[in-house]
Amino acid sequence: MNILIINAGSSSLKYQLMDPETGVVSAKGLCERIGIDGRLNHKVGENKVTKDIPMPTHSEAIAATLAILQDAECGVIKSVDEIDAVGHRVLHGGMEFFDSCIINDEVIAAIKKCIPLGPLHNPANLMGIEACQAVMPTTPQVAVFDTAFHMTMPPKAYRYAIPTEYYENDSIRRYGFHGTSHKYVAKRTAQLVGKTEFKMVNCHLGNGSSMSAVKDGKCQDTTMGLTPLAGVPMGTRSGDIDAAVVQFICNKYGMSVDECLNMLNKKSGMLAMSGVSSDFRDLEDGANNGNEDCALARAKFCYEVAKYVGAYAAALNGIDVLTFTAGVGENDSAVRADVCEYLGFLGVKIDPELNKKRGKEMMISTPDSKVQVWVVPTNEELMIAQDTAELVNAAK
Ligand code: ADP
């Protein structure tokens, strides 16, 4: 089976053609500068091709993607008919979507209804969907939502303690993001530990970071909120902050709320605290060279991640498994070690030698650790491909 995975942003569109059973990616690429001029970066194995192609809208980007996938030289299919289905990543499913689903008119209307919750991403995601429908009208399309995995949270986890009218009238609540990654890691971890009933905390630590508390495969709580700004501090996001800080800064510096939120999303986090970079590799280099701000930024990050593990261990009444994933979680052994250092009280014990390895699926806890600690490289595209294949096969 061939599943085309589409992740459409406002001026870019990423694609992968994947076999959902083997996870083998036959081709992938990126259309960028959509609406400006248009460039296609296509990759088959180690062969890379870059082409300037006019892309006034997402329709031309999809057309260029389908053309290069069928190209005599760098293509991998002979006809669009070889694409069995398309899986679209959609940011916000609001309270409309609890799972992935086959796209029809009602689904499109419901994704539109969620635009106020995802004002930047959902319109772009819809452009990708509509462009695909126009050029491949008979190919099934599936929407996979970044929020859906978290929809099993109980109300005490997802409700904010603010007047009910904002929840009832405006759907303001915790949603959480990175759901496709959390779902993939939860499923994969169940295979790795060989059971389905267990309690885990998953740490998706990348440029954007979020954590989830998962019981028997179902999400019970997560750190991000109505938007991805909440939770642990991130590359450029502040993470949790007293809302009154916004009022203080706006009043004192004559900033609008939008400007202040832009600062909290794009100019805060590790970048702001270190004054050097949002990239954890640069923070480590800085800290190793005596830069105290870099050391403090890293320390703050590990402290907040460990605090949430503790909070979620309380929420779940203990944990059996702790997982690390995404750019930092998979590669930064020092962050993993520093986080686990706080968790001795839970019986977490990692093997420093095993923990030195990076980017590989592996258990890094010692045999006598009360909690199994795993590194599980995430694969959101595979999760999208599997969800898409499952829904399309079930509908046959
Ligand atoms: P996102 O998908 O949120 O953009 P990623 O999950 O790709 O982010 O993570 C990117 C981050 O991972 C980088 O900013 C970098 O800090 C970190 N990272 C990647 N490789 C390494 C490494 N070898 N050691 C430490 N950190 C790394």
Side-chain angles (χ1 to χ4, degrees):
M1 216 176 175
N2 278 322
I3 306 290
L4 179 63
I5 301 148
I6 297 288
N7 184 357
S10 55
S11 67
S12 70
L13 185 146
K14 287 190 206 142
Y15 62 88
Q16 285 196 8
L17 193 65
M18 183 189 275
D19 179 335
E21 273 137 48
T22 60
V24 170
V25 176
S26 46
K28 64 177 174 181
L30 166 72
C31 300
E32 52 185 352
R33 301 176 62 84
I34 301 171
I36 305 166
D37 38 28
R39 181 175 307 141
L40 177 69
N41 305 287
H42 181 71
K43 202 170 163 200
V44 179
E46 289 310 306
N47 295 333
K48 289 184 195 162
V49 189
T50 299
K51 287 186 177 184
D52 288 330
I53 301 171
M55 297 175 188
T57 70
H58 286 68
S59 295
E60 291 80 14
I62 290 287
T65 299
L66 295 180
I68 200 136
L69 286 171
Q70 298 171 80
D71 188 84
E73 275 169 29
C74 50
V76 289
I77 51 174
K78 292 207 169 55
S79 138
V80 173
D81 296 342
E82 289 176 46
I83 300 173
D84 297 285
V86 185
H88 295 268
R89 180 177 191 167
V90 181
L91 179 83
H92 219 305
M95 299 217 296
E96 305 289 324
F97 296 101
F98 286 60
D99 215 336
S100 306
C101 59
I102 294 186
I103 296 173
N104 56 28
D105 290 348
E106 288 85 59
V107 168
I108 292 207
I111 297 174
K112 283 189 180 151
K113 215 174 139 191
C114 300
I115 287 177
L117 299 169
L120 297 179
H121 292 85
N122 276 32
N125 302 150
L126 278 165
M127 284 193 272
I129 292 170
E130 283 165 353
C132 279
Q133 285 182 320
V135 287
M136 330 163 64
T138 56
T139 309
Q141 318 268 331
V142 167
V144 178
F145 299 90
D146 242 23
T147 49
F149 178 67
H150 304 302
M151 291 307 283
T152 48
M153 285 188 285
K156 65 184 175 189
Y158 72 68
R159 283 289 296 274
Y160 289 134
I162 61 173
T164 306
E165 66 206 66
Y166 300 113
Y167 171 68
E168 288 182 346
N169 300 339
D170 307 302
S171 308
I172 292 179
R173 48 162 279 178
R174 180 188 304 283
Y175 289 98
F177 298 87
H178 293 141
T180 313
S181 171
H182 287 287
K183 180 175 174 180
Y184 172 81
V185 174
K187 277 193 151 186
R188 182 70 194 136
T189 305
Q191 291 170 346
L192 293 169
V193 302
K195 52 186 175 184
T196 51
E197 296 193 351
F198 63 98
K199 297 182 275 193
M200 68 179 265
V201 172
N202 180 38
C203 308
H204 175 112
L205 311 179
N207 187 34
S209 294
S210 68
M211 296 166 60
S212 61
V214 179
K215 182 165 184 273
D216 306 341
K218 300 225 171 346
C219 180
Q220 304 299 315
D221 206 345
T222 190
T223 53
M224 285 178 166
L226 175 75
T227 77
L229 181 56
V232 294
M234 313 178 203
T236 64
R237 294 191 190 113
S238 63
D240 294 339
I241 196 163
D242 180 346
V245 169
V246 174
Q247 180 198 33
F248 186 101
I249 291 177
C250 288
N251 285 347
K252 174 142 192 212
Y253 295 99
M255 269 183 179
S256 67
V257 170
D258 281 3
E259 285 168 338
C260 190
L261 265 287
N262 191 49
M263 178 273 286
L264 293 173
N265 270 302
K266 302 209 170 123
K267 296 181 189 158
S268 298
M270 298 300 103
L271 175 66
M273 284 194 77
S274 69
V276 171
S277 170
S278 60
D279 192 302
F280 279 73
R281 287 162 289 199
D282 299 334
L283 299 186
E284 194 169 6
D285 287 348
N288 289 341
N289 289 320
N291 183 323
E292 286 178 13
D293 294 334
C294 287
L296 178 62
R298 285 186 77 258
K300 169 79 177 163
F301 180 77
C302 296
Y303 174 70
E304 296 294 340
V305 171
K307 250 169 64 176
Y308 265 114
V309 178
Y312 288 166
L316 296 173
N317 189 22
I319 55 169
D320 306 300
V321 182
L322 175 66
T323 46
F324 289 95
T325 195
V328 177
E330 292 166 25
N331 295 299
D332 196 325
S333 352
V335 163
R336 291 196 299 257
D338 288 359
V339 169
C340 290
E341 182 75 31
Y342 285 100
L343 304 173
F345 78 100
L346 285 173
V348 168
K349 234 170 151 184
I350 59 168
D351 179 328
E353 282 307 309
L354 293 176
N355 184 46
K356 272 188 197 155
K357 295 190 192 141
R358 47 182 61 195
K360 278 179 40 179
E361 200 167 79
M362 57 189 171
M363 188 165 82
I364 57 169
S365 47
T366 58
D368 63 335
S369 177
K370 289 210 182 90
V371 176
Q372 282 191 17
V373 185
W374 284 82
V375 175
V376 182
T378 194
N379 194 339
E380 290 166 271
E381 289 76 19
L382 179 58
M383 197 68 255
I384 294 175
Q386 287 178 348
D387 271 9
T388 302
E390 200 176 299
L391 283 165
V392 169
N393 285 334
K396 270 181 191 162

